[in-house]
Amino acid sequence: MCCWVQVVTEALLQVEHVSKRFGGIVASDDITLRCPRRRASCHHRTKWCGQEHIDRPARGRARPDAGRIAFGGHDITALPTYRRSQLGLARSFQITSLFPDFTVLDNVALAVQAHAGHSFHFWQAARSEDALREPAHAALARVGLAERSGVLVSRLSHGEHRQLEIAMALATSPRMLLLDEPMAGMGPDESARMVNILRELKRELTILLIEHDMEAVFALADRITVLVYGRTIASGAPEAIRANAEVRQAYLGEQEAVDG
Amino acid sequence: MLYFIEQCLNGVQLGMLLFLLAAGLTLIFGIMDLVNLAHGSLYMIGAYFAATFAALTGSFIAGALLALLATLLVGMAVEVIAMRRLYGRDHLDHVLGTFGLLLFFNELVRLIWGPAGMTLPLPSQMLTAVEVLPGVYYPLYRLVIILSTLVVALLLYLLVMRTRIGMLIRAGASNREMVGALGVNIKLLYTLVFGLGAALAGFAGLMQAPILTVQIGMGENILILAFVVIIIGGIGSIRGAFVASIFVGLIDTVGRAFLPDLLRLFLSTNAASSAGPAISSMLIYMLMAAILVFRPEGLFPASNK
Amino acid sequence: MSAWLNLRNVFVVALVVMLALVPVYAALIGNYFLMSLFTRIVILAMAAVSLNLIMGFGGMVSFGHAAYLGIGGYAIGILAKEGINSGFLQWPLALAMSALFALAVGALSLRTRGVYFIMITLAFAQMVYYIAIGLDRYGGDDGMTIYKRSQFGDLINLSNKTAFYYLCLALLLLTVYVVWRIVNSRFGMVIQGARSNDRRMRAIGFPTYRYKLVCFVIAGTICGLAGALLVNHTDFISPAVMHWTRSGDLIVMAVLGGMGTVFGPVIGAVALLVLEEVLSGVTEYWQIIMGPIFLLVVLFARGGIDGVLLGASRD
């Protein structure tokens, strides 16, 4: 399977000539990537291509060795994680990372609170603050989790965890959503539900989607870019990608290696 | 100058004792992810056993060997009865559980041996001093401590790096489920590792007994120093423990010896003699704090943790 | 209303009532030792509640919390020795010193996590312990007697044991209330979230370090106040108050009572200290029993007495 990522002109998120090396291993090689506003871009990945290292520098986990990442005009290459979030770049985690001993509503309310000024308020009960609870309820409604708001996160199904992830990202009123394999580990029903949710969301937000699931990629993406072994090999509209020879070679070639 | 060399050697000797404790602690932590506050109790038990067996057999060496064996057995028994149930749990659980064991051992020792403490006399051949450098004499026994600990350190290195058991230990440290899945008897491995740690602690306890102390609660003070060593050296790293223990031993000993004099250069005699001991005790912790500012994971952090 | 009326809450109310009636009972049966014991229990309960703020709710297991008992105590003791007996000067200074020390230790220790954090807080507390031993002028290892309790003019006479007891109890209940409000506030949400998943908290935009540091300072300051009370209670201060085993006792109180609630540590303090008192009457080797009890609590009653009571009320 190949990596597909999206590259377009006018950009909200700009990843420029980013490279990341680990010793002799080149994880990402001169990646340039631009996500415009209000477009859904899909980034289809495999384990071998180190696409992680576009994603990780963008979220502040691993600094790139070369290159620059800009978001909404700000250079975020060296910014710590929490600052990127405050700038409006929200992300979900590939490996579910929530607050297991809190309820669903509490989780989202935390995300709301993070962007509601400082939290050095010591007296009023946070759980009774409408300013936190209402946006939280709203975000949960958008992802279809409204009836589960009082449930402890440790009791949710895997698919519901992924939905919650998106709700939390939404709760921060982001300008852009970076979704890392939101469909991972989901069955067909849950995936279809997630695709619908994302389809609704992309009308209001820019989304950079990193995904395995080709059906989802083609159902959602306006632009697709492919990465193989850390290097961009193609980018463009879905039909162009489908027809691209190098992409088919990379995809089918690996498919043959798997079959043969 | 002679005094300085002597203090340096004392520092190295303290460092070596610390290494024995720290190596055991860091091994147990690295492999079983267990924080063991009762490690100092094994140190204490080693000393008590040595004093008792030496008195019974009339021979220091026999007493030492028996004490080592006894401490090893006690360590393995503790592992089977108590520690096993703590694996995989929160570190807070470890801290509390082993704290309870520490109190238990202190009282048990008091019950069996009484509150007064014991002595372990040196064999008469050890009572001489050796000329380590022209004109510099150093007690033979302290040299024996340094050398024997170096031998133990070397054996430990060979064990962990060159034997199959050592390989299992290193593998267990990086991925214990996998090692279990490969058919290795993890339980037995853990018991052996804990026993090894106990033996190291007991060895330290019995070696220092003739020159320092055999009393209840002796394990606690040195245990904290051992923790500082591990923090500075990096949890899980024996090499880090070695470097850090020498460092800590030297700074603590040499610092205590010379700091009051050093302070007298700047302060009045009164101020120097009251501030001196207080600041000397702080030196190690200041060192630890300084290291934390720049390297919170220690000097040689084990990469997988 | 019925949600409140469970076994555990009834127990809590009963305990508070019992604590309020201790002086009355002591006067009735003429046993003033009981009042002294419970004064100590109430003061240490306050310290345990402050520890639980960072430990149970914040996930910061500090093995050096008893240091603040000592810092608060020594601040008062040193001032008293130098002739300053006014509580209006002593107590604010005790609080300030505790806060400063917490700030310094927290700033360094909170750069680490997990077991490192535990060991480092232990090491720093031990450092203060050794400094206190080195203070020859103030008693050193033997400690120092305080000849005059903190003076508050006509406001309250701390030498009146009953008045002092009710002051301690009032401060304990105030502490519980304040900590309860903190824990449920926005600040408390950040702290609890950081305990639950610190990385995620940072990812969603919280600079957790500064919040944890502030929490650490608050906890240390409250414990410093407990130290001020303790030194007035015993008329004596020594380094033993801050020995690391005392920090261990505070942790045990919190876990034994129940780390999940604000009041839990109060239950734990009462349980632990009463148990100690009873056992030491039975045998001088009572720690042989206490030690394994800690281990058993860890293994089988991790939710503490709170947990047992809540479990019972569910059935």
Side-chain angles (χ1 to χ4, degrees):
Chain A
M1 283 196 267
C2 320
C3 303
W4 298 354
V5 164
Q6 172 269 14
V7 172
V8 189
T9 46
E10 185 247 289
L12 178 55
L13 177 72
Q14 275 185 219
V15 176
E16 271 162 30
H17 303 293
V18 164
S19 296
K20 180 77 183 168
R21 286 174 166 69
F22 292 97
I25 298 175
V26 180
S28 310
D29 189 5
D30 193 31
I31 308 285
T32 294
L33 157 71
R34 294 185 189 86
C35 297
R37 298 164 206 279
R38 297 284 181 89
R39 298 302 196 96
S41 29
C42 286
H43 173 165
H44 186 136
R45 66 173 294 250
T46 41
K47 285 147 197 50
W48 299 282
C49 78
Q51 133 286 339
E52 267 271 295
H53 304 293
I54 294 195
D55 183 49
R56 289 179 88 210
R59 36 181 171 98
R61 295 287 295 156
R63 215 139 286 174
D65 294 319
R68 179 180 166 274
I69 302 175
F71 180 69
H74 299 267
D75 186 338
I76 64 170
T77 322
L79 271 192
T81 319
Y82 74 88
R83 288 283 296 132
R84 297 175 182 208
S85 174
Q86 287 169 356
L87 280 177
L89 175 61
R91 58 153 305 200
S92 75
F93 283 60
Q94 182 190 351
I95 300 172
T96 315
S97 170
L98 298 162
F99 302 106
D101 31 359
F102 283 69
T103 63
V104 167
L105 187 62
D106 281 340
N107 269 257
V108 187
L110 269 176
V112 174
Q113 188 182 324
H115 292 250
H118 72 81
S119 286
F120 286 105
H121 301 284
F122 299 91
W123 203 251
Q124 186 179 10
R127 289 196 174 91
S128 63
E129 277 198 64
D130 286 335
L132 299 178
R133 301 266 123 176
E134 315 239 295
H137 275 296
L140 281 176
R142 276 163 92 186
V143 301
L145 273 182
E147 316 86 54
R148 303 283 273 161
S149 62
V151 178
L152 276 184
V153 163
S154 47
R155 304 244 169 102
L156 293 182
S157 72
H158 177 72
E160 288 172 318
H161 280 156
R162 307 312 256 142
Q163 286 171 272
L164 180 55
E165 284 274 354
I166 305 217
M168 286 176 73
L170 286 176
T172 63
S173 304
R175 296 195 275 167
M176 175 164 176
L177 264 190
L178 210 147
L179 299 177
D180 194 347
E181 302 208 21
M183 248 75 83
M186 285 194 186
D189 286 341
E190 290 177 318
S191 290
R193 207 175 316 146
M194 183 62 84
V195 168
N196 284 331
I197 293 172
L198 292 177
R199 201 180 278 126
E200 287 296 306
L201 287 179
K202 85 170 191 180
R203 290 201 251 132
E204 308 153 33
L205 288 176
T206 312
I207 302 182
L208 173 60
L209 183 67
I210 301 162
E211 207 14 275
H212 240 108
D213 182 336
M214 281 198 303
E215 278 189 39
V217 166
F218 276 106
L220 291 168
D222 298 314
R223 306 288 295 211
I224 299 175
T225 301
V226 185
L227 283 187
V228 176
Y229 293 121
R231 285 179 56 248
T232 314
I233 64 165
S235 80
E239 312 75 50
I241 296 294
R242 240 194 270 261
N244 183 304
E246 216 183 322
V247 166
R248 296 172 79 94
Q249 155 65 17
Y251 179 71
L252 289 171
E254 288 193 32
Q255 191 66 29
E256 265 166 19
V258 165
D259 296 340
Chain B
M1 189 55 189
L2 297 177
Y3 184 60
F4 178 70
I5 295 179
E6 184 192 348
Q7 291 306 312
C8 280
L9 284 169
N10 283 349
V12 171
Q13 180 231 293
L14 173 63
M16 298 277 74
L17 285 176
L18 283 175
F19 170 70
L20 288 171
L21 279 173
L25 269 176
T26 215
L27 256 181
I28 292 173
F29 186 79
I31 292 154
M32 286 102 88
D33 200 26
L34 177 74
V35 184
N36 182 15
L37 287 183
H39 205 70
S41 306
L42 295 163
Y43 170 83
M44 173 180 70
I45 288 173
Y48 269 89
F49 275 143
T52 311
F53 290 132
L56 280 176
T57 62
S59 151
F60 176 80
I61 304 265
L65 287 173
L66 284 170
L68 209 53
L69 185 63
T71 313
L72 176 68
L73 289 172
V74 168
M76 295 205 291
V78 166
E79 196 273 343
V80 171
I81 299 174
M83 298 304 179
R84 272 208 183 159
R85 298 161 215 291
L86 290 175
Y87 297 143
R89 287 173 167 256
D90 209 45
H91 288 144
L92 174 61
D93 290 3
H94 297 170
V95 160
L96 272 182
T98 54
F99 179 59
L101 280 177
L102 179 156
L103 294 177
F104 172 75
F105 279 123
N106 275 348
E107 279 304 281
L108 190 66
V109 164
R110 194 160 79 98
L111 185 67
I112 297 177
W113 278 282
M118 294 184 77
T119 53
L120 176 56
L122 271 178
S124 42
Q125 308 97 312
M126 297 278 191
L127 285 169
T128 55
V130 165
E131 192 172 5
V132 285
L133 287 178
V136 180
Y137 286 86
Y138 194 64
L140 174 62
Y141 186 67
R142 287 182 183 251
L143 268 181
V144 168
I145 292 183
I146 296 178
L147 292 171
S148 56
T149 317
L150 280 172
V151 168
V152 167
L154 187 64
L155 288 175
L156 194 62
Y157 172 78
L158 289 174
L159 174 76
V160 172
M161 290 303 194
R162 296 289 150 90
T163 64
R164 292 175 73 183
I165 290 247
M167 199 173 68
L168 287 175
I169 288 177
R170 279 180 290 134
S174 54
N175 192 333
R176 45 191 87 95
E177 285 97 24
M178 202 51 194
V179 175
L182 289 174
V184 174
N185 188 344
I186 279 284
K187 280 191 176 171
L188 184 60
L189 183 66
Y190 283 6
T191 307
L192 289 176
V193 170
F194 194 85
L196 177 62
L200 289 170
F203 183 65
L206 71 91
M207 286 306 277
Q208 63 81 52
I211 51 171
L212 284 176
T213 178
V214 182
Q215 66 185 56
I216 298 169
M218 61 189 264
E220 278 131 61
N221 297 330
I222 200 162
L223 185 68
I224 303 208
L225 274 184
F227 279 148
V228 172
V229 163
I230 296 183
I231 292 169
I232 294 177
I235 294 189
S237 163
I238 297 197
R239 179 179 19 150
F242 190 78
V243 170
S245 20
I246 307 252
F247 214 24
V248 168
L250 277 173
I251 292 197
D252 192 58
T253 312
V254 173
R256 275 177 208 279
F258 290 97
L259 193 66
D261 295 327
L262 203 67
L263 284 178
R264 255 181 272 272
L265 294 175
F266 306 104
L267 305 171
S268 72
T269 320
N270 269 339
S273 38
S274 47
I279 299 189
S280 315
S281 354
M282 277 175 68
L283 276 178
I284 297 300
Y285 303 104
M286 284 161 56
L287 172 70
M288 181 184 76
I291 300 223
L292 281 180
V293 170
F294 299 108
R295 286 181 74 93
E297 332 82 45
L299 294 174
F300 301 94
S303 44
N304 47 294
K305 288 266 180 302
Chain C
M1 180 63 194
S2 56
W4 273 88
L5 206 67
N6 59 45
L7 179 63
R8 187 247 173 203
N9 289 342
V10 168
F11 181 81
V12 165
V13 170
L15 187 62
V16 172
V17 169
M18 183 206 87
L19 286 174
L21 292 177
V22 160
V24 175
Y25 181 67
L28 275 177
I29 65 169
N31 179 358
Y32 286 97
F33 170 72
L34 202 65
M35 197 154 81
S36 175
L37 170 67
F38 273 88
T39 309
R40 191 179 147 76
I41 288 179
V42 165
I43 294 173
L44 290 179
M46 197 169 141
V49 167
S50 72
L51 172 63
N52 201 37
L53 172 61
I54 51 173
M55 188 171 79
F57 294 100
M60 301 174 254
V61 180
S62 167
F63 213 109
H65 212 63
Y68 303 100
L69 287 174
I71 291 174
Y74 268 97
I76 307 250
I78 290 174
L79 283 176
K81 174 112 179 153
E82 302 303 337
I84 302 174
N85 290 302
S86 164
F88 297 109
L89 286 174
Q90 290 176 337
W91 287 32
L93 191 70
L95 293 180
M97 297 307 319
S98 307
L100 273 171
F101 183 71
L103 186 63
V105 170
L108 284 170
S109 313
L110 286 168
R111 293 165 63 81
T112 66
R113 282 178 218 302
V115 66
Y116 279 101
F117 181 80
I118 300 175
M119 292 184 186
I120 283 158
T121 49
L122 173 57
F124 279 125
Q126 206 57 358
M127 177 184 86
V128 180
Y129 172 75
Y130 284 125
I131 291 177
I133 289 183
L135 292 174
D136 283 325
R137 181 173 163 74
Y138 303 113
D141 206 1
D142 300 319
M144 174 169 64
T145 310
I146 316 294
Y147 293 100
K148 211 170 171 189
R149 293 195 176 182
S150 303
Q151 299 300 304
F152 285 100
D154 291 324
L155 224 57
I156 179 171
N157 179 9
L158 295 188
S159 300
N160 177 330
K161 297 209 182 340
T162 309
F164 185 64
Y165 177 82
Y166 279 117
L167 174 67
C168 293
L169 185 60
L171 286 174
L172 170 66
L173 294 175
L174 182 65
T175 300
V176 169
Y177 180 64
V178 167
V179 169
W180 180 72
R181 286 222 82 124
I182 291 178
V183 157
N184 287 303
S185 68
R186 285 202 190 194
F187 179 82
M189 290 293 124
V190 178
I191 297 296
Q192 294 192 67
R195 181 203 76 232
S196 183
N197 191 337
D198 191 81
R199 220 178 95 174
R200 193 61 204 262
M201 286 297 278
R202 280 179 282 130
I204 60 179
F206 287 111
T208 54
Y209 175 80
R210 63 185 77 159
Y211 289 96
K212 284 156 80 165
L213 183 57
V214 168
C215 194
F216 198 79
V217 170
I218 293 175
T221 311
I222 297 176
C223 196
L225 179 61
L229 289 173
L230 190 63
V231 73
N232 273 288
H233 170 59
T234 55
D235 297 310
F236 178 74
I237 184 74
S238 87
V241 154
M242 351 188 219
H243 193 246
W244 65 304
T245 45
R246 302 279 75 76
S247 294
D249 287 343
L250 289 177
I251 296 182
V252 172
M253 287 180 208
V255 174
L256 182 63
M259 287 200 299
T261 66
V262 180
F263 196 81
V266 179
I267 302 176
V270 173
L272 182 71
L273 291 169
V274 166
L275 187 61
E276 270 185 19
E277 210 37 56
V278 166
L279 280 180
S280 56
V282 168
T283 163
E284 81 175 277
Y285 298 106
W286 54 275
Q287 291 202 62
I288 283 194
I289 308 177
M290 284 306 301
I293 287 184
F294 295 171
L295 185 57
L296 290 172
V297 167
V298 160
L299 291 178
F300 301 113
R302 193 51 173 70
I305 294 178
D306 254 351
V308 170
L309 289 172
L310 283 170
S313 45
R314 252 196 295 273
D315 303 321

